[in-house]
Tab-separated table of all heavy atoms in Angstrom:
chain	number	residue	atom	x	y	z
A	23	ASP	N	59.804	46.380	72.385
A	23	ASP	CA	58.653	47.275	72.515
A	23	ASP	C	59.013	48.650	73.051
A	23	ASP	O	58.128	49.420	73.427
A	23	ASP	CB	57.602	46.628	73.424
A	23	ASP	CG	57.005	45.372	72.817
A	23	ASP	OD1	56.970	45.281	71.577
A	23	ASP	OD2	56.576	44.491	73.581
A	24	GLU	N	60.295	48.980	73.102
A	24	GLU	CA	60.768	50.253	73.649
A	24	GLU	C	61.431	51.077	72.554
A	24	GLU	O	62.183	50.537	71.737
A	24	GLU	CB	61.800	50.021	74.765
A	24	GLU	CG	61.412	48.994	75.804
A	24	GLU	CD	60.246	49.415	76.678
A	24	GLU	OE1	60.025	50.629	76.861
A	24	GLU	OE2	59.547	48.534	77.190
A	25	VAL	N	61.171	52.375	72.537
A	25	VAL	CA	61.782	53.281	71.561
A	25	VAL	C	62.187	54.568	72.274
A	25	VAL	O	61.387	55.140	73.014
A	25	VAL	CB	60.812	53.660	70.422
A	25	VAL	CG1	61.504	54.555	69.404
A	25	VAL	CG2	60.235	52.446	69.757
A	26	ILE	N	63.407	54.999	72.036
A	26	ILE	CA	63.852	56.301	72.524
A	26	ILE	C	64.176	57.156	71.310
A	26	ILE	O	64.916	56.742	70.418
A	26	ILE	CB	65.074	56.187	73.450
A	26	ILE	CG1	64.698	55.409	74.711
A	26	ILE	CG2	65.611	57.582	73.790
A	26	ILE	CD1	65.843	55.138	75.647
A	27	THR	N	63.584	58.350	71.285
A	27	THR	CA	63.828	59.304	70.212
A	27	THR	C	64.457	60.546	70.822
A	27	THR	O	63.911	61.127	71.759
A	27	THR	CB	62.516	59.687	69.493
A	27	THR	OG1	61.880	58.491	69.016
A	27	THR	CG2	62.775	60.623	68.327
A	28	TRP	N	65.625	60.921	70.299
A	28	TRP	CA	66.313	62.148	70.718
A	28	TRP	C	66.095	63.163	69.611
A	28	TRP	O	66.367	62.887	68.441
A	28	TRP	CB	67.806	61.873	70.919
A	28	TRP	CG	68.589	63.094	71.277
A	28	TRP	CD1	69.347	63.850	70.438
A	28	TRP	CD2	68.693	63.704	72.558
A	28	TRP	NE1	69.905	64.891	71.117
A	28	TRP	CE2	69.524	64.829	72.429
A	28	TRP	CE3	68.145	63.401	73.806
A	28	TRP	CZ2	69.836	65.662	73.499
A	28	TRP	CZ3	68.457	64.235	74.872
A	28	TRP	CH2	69.300	65.337	74.722
A	29	PHE	N	65.549	64.333	69.953
A	29	PHE	CA	65.229	65.324	68.939
A	29	PHE	C	65.336	66.734	69.489
A	29	PHE	O	65.350	66.944	70.706
A	29	PHE	CB	63.822	65.097	68.378
A	29	PHE	CG	62.708	65.206	69.390
A	29	PHE	CD1	61.983	66.375	69.528
A	29	PHE	CD2	62.375	64.120	70.196
A	29	PHE	CE1	60.943	66.470	70.452
A	29	PHE	CE2	61.338	64.203	71.114
A	29	PHE	CZ	60.626	65.377	71.245
A	30	ASP	N	65.420	67.695	68.577
A	30	ASP	CA	65.302	69.099	68.934
A	30	ASP	C	63.856	69.495	68.677
A	30	ASP	O	63.328	69.287	67.575
A	30	ASP	CB	66.231	69.976	68.090
A	30	ASP	CG	67.677	69.926	68.562
A	30	ASP	OD1	67.918	69.531	69.724
A	30	ASP	OD2	68.566	70.283	67.761
A	31	LEU	N	63.223	70.055	69.687
A	31	LEU	CA	61.864	70.563	69.589
A	31	LEU	C	61.962	72.033	69.194
A	31	LEU	O	62.477	72.847	69.954
A	31	LEU	CB	61.156	70.406	70.939
A	31	LEU	CG	59.712	70.854	71.027
A	31	LEU	CD1	58.818	69.974	70.168
A	31	LEU	CD2	59.249	70.825	72.474
A	32	LEU	N	61.511	72.362	67.998
A	32	LEU	CA	61.561	73.735	67.510
A	32	LEU	C	60.170	74.342	67.616
A	32	LEU	O	59.196	73.787	67.066
A	32	LEU	CB	62.068	73.784	66.071
A	32	LEU	CG	63.568	73.499	65.934
A	32	LEU	CD1	63.851	72.011	65.887
A	32	LEU	CD2	64.113	74.176	64.715
A	33	THR	N	60.092	75.444	68.350
A	33	THR	CA	58.813	76.117	68.582
A	33	THR	C	58.929	77.595	68.213
A	33	THR	O	60.027	78.110	68.008
A	33	THR	CB	58.383	76.016	70.062
A	33	THR	OG1	59.291	76.786	70.849
A	33	THR	CG2	58.344	74.574	70.537
A	34	SER	N	57.788	78.249	68.190
A	34	SER	CA	57.758	79.678	67.899
A	34	SER	C	58.067	80.522	69.131
A	34	SER	O	58.183	81.742	69.012
A	34	SER	CB	56.382	80.060	67.341
A	34	SER	OG	55.368	79.765	68.290
A	35	VAL	N	58.229	79.900	70.301
A	35	VAL	CA	58.399	80.675	71.536
A	35	VAL	C	59.742	80.478	72.232
A	35	VAL	O	60.013	81.145	73.228
A	35	VAL	CB	57.261	80.366	72.544
A	35	VAL	CG1	55.911	80.746	71.964
A	35	VAL	CG2	57.295	78.915	72.992
A	36	ALA	N	60.595	79.583	71.714
A	36	ALA	CA	61.853	79.292	72.410
A	36	ALA	C	62.895	78.801	71.410
A	36	ALA	O	62.540	78.337	70.318
A	36	ALA	CB	61.626	78.231	73.488
A	37	PRO	N	64.164	78.885	71.804
A	37	PRO	CA	65.186	78.286	70.947
A	37	PRO	C	65.011	76.770	70.904
A	37	PRO	O	64.267	76.210	71.725
A	37	PRO	CB	66.502	78.668	71.622
A	37	PRO	CG	66.172	79.249	72.940
A	37	PRO	CD	64.703	79.513	72.989
A	38	PRO	N	65.664	76.084	69.968
A	38	PRO	CA	65.540	74.619	69.903
A	38	PRO	C	65.782	73.983	71.275
A	38	PRO	O	66.721	74.342	71.978
A	38	PRO	CB	66.617	74.218	68.896
A	38	PRO	CG	66.763	75.418	68.026
A	38	PRO	CD	66.565	76.603	68.944
A	39	THR	N	64.906	73.052	71.620
A	39	THR	CA	64.960	72.394	72.925
A	39	THR	C	65.336	70.929	72.737
A	39	THR	O	64.525	70.145	72.228
A	39	THR	CB	63.590	72.501	73.630
A	39	THR	OG1	63.212	73.878	73.718
A	39	THR	CG2	63.635	71.885	75.011
A	40	PRO	N	66.576	70.533	73.129
A	40	PRO	CA	66.948	69.116	73.052
A	40	PRO	C	66.026	68.296	73.956
A	40	PRO	O	65.813	68.637	75.121
A	40	PRO	CB	68.390	69.099	73.566
A	40	PRO	CG	68.878	70.507	73.406
A	40	PRO	CD	67.668	71.370	73.621
A	41	THR	N	65.479	67.204	73.399
A	41	THR	CA	64.432	66.441	74.078
A	41	THR	C	64.644	64.944	73.888
A	41	THR	O	65.018	64.502	72.809
A	41	THR	CB	63.053	66.827	73.496
A	41	THR	OG1	62.885	68.242	73.580
A	41	THR	CG2	61.920	66.141	74.224
A	42	ALA	N	64.380	64.193	74.948
A	42	ALA	CA	64.387	62.733	74.874
A	42	ALA	C	62.970	62.236	75.133
A	42	ALA	O	62.309	62.679	76.075
A	42	ALA	CB	65.339	62.127	75.892
A	43	ASN	N	62.495	61.327	74.279
A	43	ASN	CA	61.162	60.750	74.390
A	43	ASN	C	61.312	59.233	74.412
A	43	ASN	O	61.868	58.654	73.492
A	43	ASN	CB	60.314	61.180	73.192
A	43	ASN	CG	58.950	60.532	73.140
A	43	ASN	OD1	58.834	59.319	73.026
A	43	ASN	ND2	57.916	61.342	73.163
A	44	TRP	N	60.801	58.607	75.470
A	44	TRP	CA	60.818	57.147	75.583
A	44	TRP	C	59.383	56.663	75.497
A	44	TRP	O	58.509	57.147	76.227
A	44	TRP	CB	61.457	56.718	76.899
A	44	TRP	CG	61.256	55.276	77.237
A	44	TRP	CD1	61.494	54.198	76.447
A	44	TRP	CD2	60.766	54.762	78.474
A	44	TRP	NE1	61.187	53.043	77.110
A	44	TRP	CE2	60.739	53.357	78.362
A	44	TRP	CE3	60.355	55.345	79.673
A	44	TRP	CZ2	60.318	52.541	79.396
A	44	TRP	CZ3	59.934	54.531	80.694
A	44	TRP	CH2	59.925	53.137	80.549
A	45	MET	N	59.135	55.719	74.593
A	45	MET	CA	57.802	55.140	74.411
A	45	MET	C	57.841	53.641	74.644
A	45	MET	O	58.819	52.987	74.283
A	45	MET	CB	57.316	55.345	72.976
A	45	MET	CG	57.049	56.731	72.580
A	45	MET	SD	56.496	56.716	70.846
A	45	MET	CE	55.897	58.365	70.744
A	46	HIS	N	56.750	53.138	75.182
A	46	HIS	CA	56.553	51.692	75.303
A	46	HIS	C	55.306	51.344	74.490
A	46	HIS	O	54.303	52.056	74.532
A	46	HIS	CB	56.365	51.268	76.758
A	46	HIS	CG	56.113	49.806	76.901
A	46	HIS	ND1	57.120	48.877	76.840
A	46	HIS	CD2	54.954	49.126	77.044
A	46	HIS	CE1	56.592	47.665	76.966
A	46	HIS	NE2	55.283	47.795	77.098
């Protein structure tokens, strides 16, 4: 029931932001 997603968050206001998201 656990998921970790590693991604780059691309926005209009900043350079790509490396991000980790853990969901249950």
Side-chain angles (χ1 to χ4, degrees):
D23 294 332
E24 312 292 334
V25 182
I26 296 175
T27 304
W28 177 260
F29 61 98
D30 282 341
L31 181 66
L32 287 84
T33 68
S34 60
V35 299
T39 304
T41 305
N43 175 297
W44 168 51
M45 293 180 167
H46 178 79

